Amino acid sequence: MKKILSIFILATIICFSSCDRIKSPIIKKNTVTGSSFVTKNNFAVYNYKKALLEDYTGMRCPNCPEGTIIAENLLATYGNSLVVVAVHAGGLSNPFGNYTADYRTEAGDKWNGSTGYGIVSYPTGLINRKAYSPNDVKLDRTAWTSVMTTAMADPFIVKLKVTTNYDTIVGALNTDVTAIFNTAYAQNLNISVLVTEDGIVGKQDDKGVEIEEYEFEHMMRGALNSPWGEALTTSAKAANDSVKYSLPNFNLKGMAYVIDKPDPTPDVVKPIVVNDKKISVIVFVYNATTREILQVEKVKIR
Amino acid sequence: MLNSYFKSSVTAAFLLTFILNAFNINAQSIADEANSVHGYFQIDAQYYKPDTLIGAPPVPEKMLSNAFGNINYTKGKFSAGVRYEAYNNVMQGFDTRYKGQGITNRFARYQDQLLDITIGNIYEQFGSGLIFRTYYEPGLLFDNSLDGIRVISNPVRGLTLKGLVGKQRSFFTVGPGIVRGFDGELNINEALDSLAKNIKTKVILGGSFVSKNQSSQNPDFVMPENVGAYGGRMNIMRGGFNFFAEYAQKENDPSAANYASIGGKNYYSYQQGDAMFLSTSYATKGFSILLQAKRIDNMSFRSDRDATLQNLLINFLPATTKQHTYLMPAFSPYATQPTGEVGGMAEIQFKVPKGSALGGKYGMDITLNASQANLLKPININDSTTTSKLYRTNYEEAGSELYHDFFIEITKKFSKKFKGTFMFANQFNNINIVQHNTPKGPYKNVLANIEVIDLTYKYKGNSAIRMELQGMQRDNSDTLNLGSWVVGLIEWTPNTHIFVAAIDQYNYGNPVASLRLHYVYFSAGYTSGPHRISLSYGKQRAGIFCVGGVCRVVPASNGFAISITSSF
């Protein structure tokens, strides 16, 4: 009995204890330099508060099309005040059987996983990555509409002026952001830059029915400055202070989804091929501690 | 997180109270050993006066205080305890993140022959602590306890297994990283039982594995979210001979300790760390010898990769230098350098026999001690764009000297009433690295000769007068290190309850004539049973206070202080 118990303790502890050996510590930046750019910006619509709805979804998720409909209805209601990003992640996004496409991204995996929000049922929505009482930060689709009403009353702390310069030949994408503080803010902020793509046609489960040519909108295709973005500011800011952020030379035509494999198995690299005519850049700024999103903007790059 | 920690602490305190009531225990009483309540209280407070000459800053609150109290309850195989701490506000020289008050430690433990389980704040050590040690040192306000669960089991005679998991205390909350650890120790003599009962040589073997987990959002580096450390140890004893050896290795652990910003670019080192500690001693009547050696490379192991100073350390690197109690030898103590050092200590103690020419009627004790610590000699590797190890070291090479301390101490009883201790020490300290963690600081290396005379005259059974005279000669042109000092102390103990003392530290060698100051300090104390109260008034110089190689900076102060301790 004693031996069995001790072996059990030993096994349990060893399972919990582990370590990661990093072979290539430096994150390789996916960059390319452009010369002839199409310039777009959000200057006409940046001067009001916006909300971000992240729809965690999957092509094999039977209830997800219903979530998509709710998101589209909210877009119809709130217009430019709402930005929707469809994040394909989790077990129901994994290619399986007839569902061969892979819409997953490294950032989506991180957000969906245990170091992110630990999402296990789909569709799940996050609105501004904030828990609006009495709800949790993770929202069932039935709560999205009511929570959006509350979210729209959030204070308008920071404006984001976003400019994109895109070279259609080589795929170089430059993103420049100026964050202008509407009110004083003392906490650290991070900035995330993503790209979403509209009009992707593929197979989708809809309550057990396979839809062959389902049109996916607002699909997250990648995080340009790491899954959790970068630090925007680490010092207190007064009203009217501004902070500039640039993300130059991102190679939109060189994106890939990389699946980590333990040694000695090589990592799986799946190229992400996008139609740049349907790509938008999403920029959002969030509290580095609480992860609450303070403002989000969307700019179609061409 | 702060709220949740407080909630859990308050809940624990409530539960403990509930348990105590359930067992019908009056917390003021002490029952038999199987059913008892014990406590310890310590209150320190100081009224501060600014003093520009000695560099004592103005303190807006005027008075600051540190206080804590432990209450532990034991009933048979069950024990539980809480510690309350209050900092209103924390005294000068301690981390100001200790602010406020609350229950900072609570635990419950049940142990029988099969299992020993503890939940709550856990203090534990694997081997000498190279990869895991949690402890509380109120003098440093150091507490890295693991808030979690520990299980200890002895499945067979001689074998002890320990497993634990939790998060470490960080001021009034816990750190972000999860710590998991396992340790196994085999006492071969006990395990072999009857076969080994006539073998005089005793052997104990041990091995540990500790892993920390912390998520990462770094956009430039792939950070290891799980960092493991592992080690093995051996202890051999025979008669007065004792040999202990431990070796530990840490996997790639990029952190604030091995991070550098050079030319506008940021670099982390992914080099593995390792540590070796050897200690051997031999003792016989009137003679003992101790030899210790230590080598540390990149062994700052913390449950938050961004933590600095003494915060969230998982491991403890034993000091191989002498911890002095006299003021002048302790003026510039050595602080262990977790990023890299090699060193050791040798100590011989012997007693000159009674009746010999030197020993006289009462004999004489002589201690010879030599300790030394050097930097490692890193060899740069140009791999900042690939594997990012950045450097390597060789065991056969050492870098420049960080510290040495050679001293001889003689204790001699001249008569039934009169005894004395005499010490001479020669110390070297690379102040920039040892005390300020920068190789390019403004301080010069310090080389000092130190003498101590400590005389005690016992004029009645429990009544004595003690006098100390100390001198330290240093470079008197060094404005930052303040030059030479002399110290005089007189202490009167009229009975076992009372003491009165006066001390004067005179910085006669300060290169600035106006700063050749006397730091005069008076103290008095009263002890009665488990209670002790002491009062003091005067000037204290700025300095460094260390316990076991872990140090804190003490700023200069001037004022009135009170200290009360009590136990039951």
Side-chain angles (χ1 to χ4, degrees), chain A residues 28-257:
Chain A
K28 291 180 178 61
K29 305 289 185 184
N30 173 28
T31 58
V32 63
T33 309
S35 55
S36 174
F37 295 105
V38 176
T39 300
K40 298 283 180 180
N41 64 54
N42 68 336
F43 293 175
V45 294
Y46 83 97
N47 208 4
Y48 51 89
K49 176 81 173 85
K50 298 183 178 71
L52 175 67
L53 166 62
E54 290 167 83
D55 172 13
Y56 285 79
T57 183
M59 61 189 170
R60 295 194 291 113
C61 161
N63 293 319
C64 286
E66 200 172 293
T68 304
I69 291 167
I70 296 169
E72 292 299 330
N73 288 341
L74 288 170
L75 272 176
T77 305
Y78 292 103
N80 285 333
S81 295
L82 175 66
V83 174
V84 174
V85 173
V87 183
H88 288 249
L92 298 178
S93 293
N94 206 351
F96 185 77
N98 293 334
Y99 296 86
T100 54
D102 197 341
Y103 303 125
R104 292 175 297 170
T105 58
E106 288 173 68
D109 288 352
K110 290 269 186 193
W111 300 342
N112 184 78
S114 58
T115 56
Y117 293 93
I119 293 166
V120 291
S121 64
Y122 304 88
T124 286
L126 305 184
I127 294 178
N128 292 337
R129 296 185 176 177
K130 178 180 177 182
Y132 290 94
S133 181
N135 297 283
D136 184 46
V137 67
K138 293 183 280 189
L139 300 166
D140 185 81
R141 62 187 182 282
T142 55
W144 296 358
T145 305
S146 63
V147 170
M148 265 307 296
T149 314
T150 315
M152 292 314 292
D154 277 351
F156 188 22
I157 292 166
V158 60
K159 306 177 210 177
L160 300 175
K161 289 180 82 170
V162 180
T163 303
T164 61
N165 287 288
Y166 179 62
D167 183 323
T168 56
I169 308 300
V170 297
L173 174 63
N174 298 335
T175 306
D176 295 288
V177 182
T178 304
I180 305 160
F181 285 81
N182 246 4
T183 62
Y185 196 75
Q187 298 183 56
N188 295 351
L189 290 176
N190 284 6
I191 184 167
S192 277
V193 183
L194 325 172
V195 285
T196 59
E197 185 174 353
D198 294 324
I200 295 173
V201 176
K203 194 173 289 202
Q204 171 72 52
D205 187 322
D206 188 358
K207 296 197 184 310
V209 178
E210 273 184 24
I211 299 177
E212 287 293 331
E213 294 188 347
Y214 186 85
E215 191 167 324
F216 296 98
E217 306 290 345
H218 327 294
M219 183 190 288
M220 214 270 279
R221 302 297 266 159
L224 277 50
N225 61 347
S226 91
W228 298 100
E230 291 185 279
L232 177 68
T233 169
T234 55
S235 58
K237 292 286 172 283
N240 299 319
D241 280 358
S242 63
V243 182
K244 287 185 184 297
Y245 175 81
S246 291
L247 188 66
N249 304 329
F250 182 81
N251 182 5
L252 196 67
K253 296 182 176 175
M255 290 199 296
Y257 172 50

Side-chain angles (χ1 to χ4, degrees), chain B residues 66-386:
Chain B
N66 295 0
F68 74 92
N70 287 318
I71 298 173
N72 290 330
Y73 167 71
T74 305
K75 182 174 175 65
K77 296 170 182 173
F78 175 80
S79 58
V82 292
R83 182 170 66 242
Y84 174 84
E85 294 177 30
Y87 308 101
N88 292 298
N89 285 330
V90 73
M91 294 170 74
Q92 293 271 289
F94 296 97
D95 197 312
T96 52
R97 283 173 286 184
Y98 284 106
K99 192 171 189 177
Q101 55 281 312
I103 302 285
T104 55
N105 184 295
R106 67 280 186 266
F107 75 93
R109 180 176 186 176
Y110 180 81
Q111 55 188 129
D112 63 16
Q113 285 186 326
L114 182 62
L115 283 179
D116 173 354
I117 299 178
T118 307
I119 57 168
N121 293 83
I122 293 157
Y123 296 113
E124 181 57 83
Q125 177 169 340
F126 295 165
S128 59
L130 291 181
I131 61 168
F132 187 85
R133 184 190 179 198
T134 55
Y135 67 106
Y136 176 54
E137 173 48 61
L140 296 170
L141 268 192
F142 181 95
D143 185 1
N144 64 342
S145 65
L146 194 73
D147 190 359
I149 300 165
R150 178 187 62 184
V151 179
I152 302 174
S153 177
N154 298 97
V156 293
R157 191 177 164 83
L159 178 64
T160 304
L161 301 174
K162 297 176 184 174
L164 46 82
V165 61
K167 289 188 170 189
Q168 288 185 282
R169 177 185 175 189
S170 176
F171 306 100
F172 280 97
T173 182
V174 290
I178 301 169
V179 179
R180 299 77 59 99
F182 174 78
D183 182 77
E185 188 168 277
L186 178 66
N187 185 323
I188 290 177
N189 297 71
E190 282 186 21
L192 295 176
D193 201 14
S194 58
L195 282 174
K197 68 181 176 187
N198 293 322
I199 299 175
K200 289 181 180 172
T201 304
K202 292 185 166 52
V203 179
I204 300 171
L205 303 174
S208 315
F209 186 89
V210 176
S211 164
K212 64 163 179 173
N213 170 271
Q214 183 186 10
S215 62
S216 168
Q217 301 177 7
N218 194 302
D220 299 318
F221 290 89
V222 182
M223 303 297 265
E225 296 191 342
N226 296 287
V227 177
Y230 37 87
R233 59 186 185 269
M234 175 173 62
N235 195 0
I236 301 171
M237 292 162 281
R238 186 184 175 97
F241 174 79
N242 191 322
F243 173 74
F244 177 83
E246 182 166 9
Y247 178 77
Q249 200 159 31
K250 179 170 67 99
E251 287 296 319
N252 47 196
D253 183 19
S255 68
N258 56 25
Y259 169 86
S261 186
I262 302 164
K265 285 191 74 177
N266 298 327
Y267 298 92
Y268 275 112
S269 171
Y270 283 65
Q271 183 63 277
Q272 289 182 325
D274 74 334
M276 183 188 68
F277 177 65
L278 302 170
S279 178
T280 186
S281 63
Y282 176 74
T284 187
K285 191 179 178 187
F287 176 81
S288 71
I289 182 167
L290 170 70
L291 299 170
Q292 289 186 327
K294 180 176 67 173
R295 186 185 186 278
I296 299 164
D297 183 2
N298 188 16
M299 280 302 283
S300 172
F301 189 32
R302 302 167 191 261
S303 59
D304 178 1
R305 64 173 70 87
D306 298 320
T308 55
L309 302 172
Q310 312 302 349
N311 198 21
L312 293 168
L313 283 162
I314 298 172
N315 63 339
F316 171 78
L317 303 163
T320 49
T321 54
K322 194 74 173 180
Q323 188 170 317
H324 289 285
T325 50
Y326 290 114
L327 280 166
M328 289 297 105
F331 195 103
S332 298
Y334 186 65
T336 302
Q337 301 297 303
T339 50
E341 68 164 58
V342 57
M345 178 168 74
E347 183 171 276
I348 297 172
Q349 291 182 320
F350 59 96
K351 193 175 186 73
V352 180
K354 293 174 188 174
S356 63
L358 268 177
K361 189 178 176 183
Y362 297 95
M364 182 166 72
D365 295 314
I366 299 177
T367 300
L368 290 165
N369 182 293
S371 58
Q372 169 112 15
N374 282 49
L375 285 170
L376 301 180
K377 197 170 185 179
I379 299 158
N380 292 331
I381 304 174
N382 187 19
D383 67 341
S384 61
T385 57
T386 54

